[in-house]
Amino acid sequence: MTAELVRGQNHTLPQTRLEIRVSAGSPVVAGATLGDERGTVHGAEWIVHPGSPQLPGLEVSRQAAADHRLAVDLDALPDAVHRVTVLLALPLGTGRPVTFGSVAAPFVAVTGLDGTEIATFTLTGLDAESAVTALELYRRQGVWKVRAVGQGYAAGLAGMLADQGVARAAELAASIQEAVVSGLARSVAPPPPRTPDGERVRHPSRPAPSAGGGRPPGPPVTGDRHPAPGSDPLGEPSPAPAADPTPGGPVNYAHPRRQTSAPPPPPPPPTAPPAAPGQPARPVAGDATGWSMDERLYNQIWGMFEDLARAVAAYRSAVDFAESRMDQELDRALSDPRSRIGGAGDRAREAARAKRDELTTRAREALDRDLVQLAAECAVVEPALPAAYAGWDNPVWHGYRVPMEIPMALRIGDLHLPERADLRIPLLVRLPLERGIWIDSGRTASEASASTDGDELRRLGVETAVALAARLLAVYPADEFSVHVIDPAGSAAAALAPLTGSGVLTGPPAAGARGVASVLAHLTRRVDLVQMAIRAGAADSLPPDLDTGEQLLIVNDFPHGFDDRAVTQLRYLADEGPAVGVHLLMVADREDARAYGPVLDPLWRSLLRITPVADDHLADPWVGHAWTYEPLRAPQGSRVVEQVLALVAAARRVGYR
């Protein structure tokens, strides 16, 4: 049965040799980008378009047309490709439409080679956009799926390519449009028409032409995977390779006269053991690309985050669609006043609600299947995480040793959505930190915050800061990370005990206005000196007493003890510090600094805001979710934080001798 997708919904692909049919009310340019597991497009050679219509496993039309057929062979794609994004754009030219809002909504269908539709998507709701990401094919746990995207771009093809991280996007977009203007038109048969009942008319006996319009069904003819050194990635495609002489045998996708210049691929990730027939693949830890296990786990965690985000987005979109459809059916049924009297109206309402319930139930079943698979993956991944990615309850901390080099990322909390609150995705941030962190100890609208006393929130805020500082100290080599503390009133002495008692601080917490000024002056001087040395190319001229390791400043009870000069210095550290290794970790209630008005707005915006209790404040603009953040805490009664800090302090004492 054909899956009629709505924006954000996905569907498993039952086969890997496909056609993507596009039908639009006006000529459009069709193309596709290839992305790695994180969706990154590694240059123009990863883009197929009318100027370069062939890549391994993918072929598009050379010209703008109202109807397209894109030939796809997912098994022939390079191993590094995990995502194929189908793009549509309006061609430039006098008298042509300039926005999708002025033409009929494009219709996209993913079909088998025999024309059988697998999934369809109508791109509604477009207005001022002149380019749109129609859908994407992506690989997850060895299974290919299709997802309806429908993301439009008013900035056109250049804006769309730039959003995917393509360098020199404007030049590439201009080259594509130029290729469309100068290319030869190729006629492509439109998708089969619809019958009055909305079903597609099938023509299984008639072979479906490929993107070129003249070949029978089969895998796309491709050139080499990467351009040869010095070749133009936007030039004409390479000649087609010779077909395999063995009937029915695999097609050789290597170019007959050119060798690939690509670097060797990273080592393959672990493979999952074979699953039972009809069952999803068993998840394994590190089932992602990367040169090291840490990098594979990092990519796998973000893949889990993306899968959860989009699965829930698809479910919510399907529920909204079901509600909207029920309202429309009720409006149509009850538009005639005669149907409002008697049993006809009641039957119409019951039928509309039954249809709504059926659609909602099917959407929930699909979501539950995805959630079960993600939960199984989490259960496998969590025990395999290294200390930098692990929670405090992970046994990896019992075998902790001070590392010799910093990891690529650090876990600072967990994220979850209300559809399944027990499915937690680690929140990882790259190291070194690229921005400071603000732990909001003020009252928020969350249930956990509303039920917690204000003093308790401030105490929990400091404990969260201590736990984060301990994690940072634990994942850096012993002599490459230092922590300073400003506690003007000394109100956080008890919560700071793990840091002060272990001896890992550079000095006692600074108290009073004089202590605040001294620490800020010291760190501001360090930022100034390192910046000047970098700009002058004279790193060897830094004073011998200057600590060039990473520095973390924990600020509690801001703005108490801060005068105008201190506030200015703090803003300077937040803006300029991360680039030269000085990082800010603030525990503050924004209401306490209300007297400064908008002066501090840039400070709050420059910091990553987290909370000491669970709170759904982290917005995901792509799918519209509000993720609930939950801080990491050691299990009740555990002394794992103190034990880790003691090992860090011991390693430092050995290193200083």
Side-chain angles (χ1 to χ4, degrees), residues 473-623:
L473 287 164
V475 302
Y476 272 83
D479 57 346
E480 294 186 15
F481 198 85
S482 301
V483 178
H484 311 261
V485 176
I486 290 178
D487 185 21
S491 58
L496 292 170
L499 295 177
T500 56
S502 61
V504 294
L505 296 179
T506 56
R514 180 173 297 180
V516 171
S518 175
V519 172
L520 292 177
H522 169 74
L523 293 177
T524 301
R525 172 179 175 270
R526 182 194 179 283
V527 171
D528 289 340
L529 290 175
V530 174
Q531 280 186 339
M532 288 188 291
I534 292 175
R535 291 167 184 166
D540 296 339
S541 64
L542 288 170
D545 62 335
L546 186 72
D547 183 4
T548 56
E550 300 283 311
Q551 310 284 314
L552 177 70
L553 173 60
I554 301 176
V555 177
N556 180 50
D557 207 14
F558 176 82
H560 181 77
F562 282 73
D563 56 18
D564 291 344
R565 176 180 173 80
V567 169
T568 301
Q569 289 176 317
L570 191 69
R571 287 184 54 187
Y572 176 73
L573 293 178
D575 293 338
E576 304 294 334
V580 292
V582 176
H583 312 286
L584 193 59
L585 178 55
M586 289 184 58
V587 182
D589 180 359
R590 190 169 183 174
E591 286 298 310
D592 293 341
R594 183 173 49 188
Y596 286 93
V599 173
L600 289 181
D601 286 350
L603 173 65
W604 305 120
R605 287 195 297 266
S606 69
L607 304 174
L608 171 62
R609 175 177 174 255
I610 61 176
T611 52
V613 295
D615 187 79
D616 59 346
H617 67 279
L618 290 179
D620 187 345
W622 175 249
V623 291

Side-chain angles (χ1 to χ4, degrees), residues 311-656:
V312 172
Y315 167 71
R316 294 179 181 178
S317 178
V319 171
D320 291 342
F321 171 76
E323 294 286 348
S324 174
R325 180 169 179 170
M326 181 188 70
D327 293 340
Q328 293 174 6
E329 291 179 351
L330 289 176
D331 289 342
R332 286 196 299 267
L334 302 178
S335 59
D336 185 355
R338 292 172 295 179
S339 64
R340 301 178 188 177
I341 303 174
D346 294 337
R347 287 192 297 272
R349 280 188 288 268
E350 291 175 1
R353 288 168 182 157
K355 185 64 175 177
R356 185 269 315 272
D357 294 341
E358 178 189 357
L359 293 175
T360 303
T361 300
R362 286 165 51 190
R364 184 70 210 196
E365 289 173 353
L367 174 64
D368 288 341
R369 287 194 298 270
D370 290 340
L371 294 181
V372 168
Q373 183 70 9
L374 280 171
E377 189 174 2
C378 285
V380 171
V381 169
E382 190 71 39
L385 295 178
Y389 302 172
W392 288 115
D393 57 348
N394 193 307
V396 70
W397 288 106
H398 297 296
Y400 168 77
R401 295 292 182 270
V402 177
M404 300 298 294
E405 58 184 17
I406 69 171
M408 67 180 299
L410 179 75
R411 184 175 182 171
I412 65 171
D414 290 333
L415 299 174
H416 62 85
L417 291 170
E419 279 74 9
R420 183 161 178 178
D422 64 327
L423 183 55
R424 308 295 177 88
I425 306 296
L427 174 58
L428 303 179
V429 294
R430 295 298 295 264
L431 293 179
L433 295 174
E434 298 175 353
R435 59 191 299 199
I437 298 176
W438 163 35
I439 301 175
D440 188 355
S441 60
R443 185 82 63 187
T444 65
S446 70
E447 181 180 349
S449 177
S451 60
T452 306
D453 179 73
D455 292 336
E456 180 68 6
L457 281 174
R458 284 187 283 273
R459 183 188 67 80
L460 291 174
V462 178
E463 289 185 355
T464 303
V466 170
L468 284 176
R471 296 180 72 84
L472 285 164
L473 287 164
V475 302
Y476 272 83
D479 57 346
E480 294 186 15
F481 198 85
S482 301
V483 178
H484 311 261
V485 176
I486 290 178
D487 185 21
S491 58
L496 292 170
L499 295 177
T500 56
S502 61
V504 294
L505 296 179
T506 56
R514 180 173 297 180
V516 171
S518 175
V519 172
L520 292 177
H522 169 74
L523 293 177
T524 301
R525 172 179 175 270
R526 182 194 179 283
V527 171
D528 289 340
L529 290 175
V530 174
Q531 280 186 339
M532 288 188 291
I534 292 175
R535 291 167 184 166
D540 296 339
S541 64
L542 288 170
D545 62 335
L546 186 72
D547 183 4
T548 56
E550 300 283 311
Q551 310 284 314
L552 177 70
L553 173 60
I554 301 176
V555 177
N556 180 50
D557 207 14
F558 176 82
H560 181 77
F562 282 73
D563 56 18
D564 291 344
R565 176 180 173 80
V567 169
T568 301
Q569 289 176 317
L570 191 69
R571 287 184 54 187
Y572 176 73
L573 293 178
D575 293 338
E576 304 294 334
V580 292
V582 176
H583 312 286
L584 193 59
L585 178 55
M586 289 184 58
V587 182
D589 180 359
R590 190 169 183 174
E591 286 298 310
D592 293 341
R594 183 173 49 188
Y596 286 93
V599 173
L600 289 181
D601 286 350
L603 173 65
W604 305 120
R605 287 195 297 266
S606 69
L607 304 174
L608 171 62
R609 175 177 174 255
I610 61 176
T611 52
V613 295
D615 187 79
D616 59 346
H617 67 279
L618 290 179
D620 187 345
W622 175 249
V623 291
H625 295 334
W627 289 85
T628 296
Y629 167 83
E630 194 152 343
L632 296 176
R633 287 203 175 83
Q636 187 70 27
S638 171
R639 294 187 56 81
V640 62
V641 176
E642 289 81 356
Q643 293 168 359
V644 168
L645 289 175
L647 292 173
V648 172
R652 288 189 167 197
R653 288 192 294 270
V654 172
Y656 291 153

Side-chain angles (χ1 to χ4, degrees), residues 24-30 64-65 87-93 96-104 106 126-132 153 156-157 160 173 176-177 180:
S26 177
V28 296
V29 180
L87 315 175
L88 303 178
L90 293 173
L92 302 179
R96 295 185 181 272
V98 296
T99 66
F100 276 106
S102 60
V103 300
L126 299 177
D127 186 12
E129 300 88 348
S130 58
V132 61
Y153 293 84
L157 188 58
M160 180 166 52
I176 294 173
Q177 294 286 5
V180 171

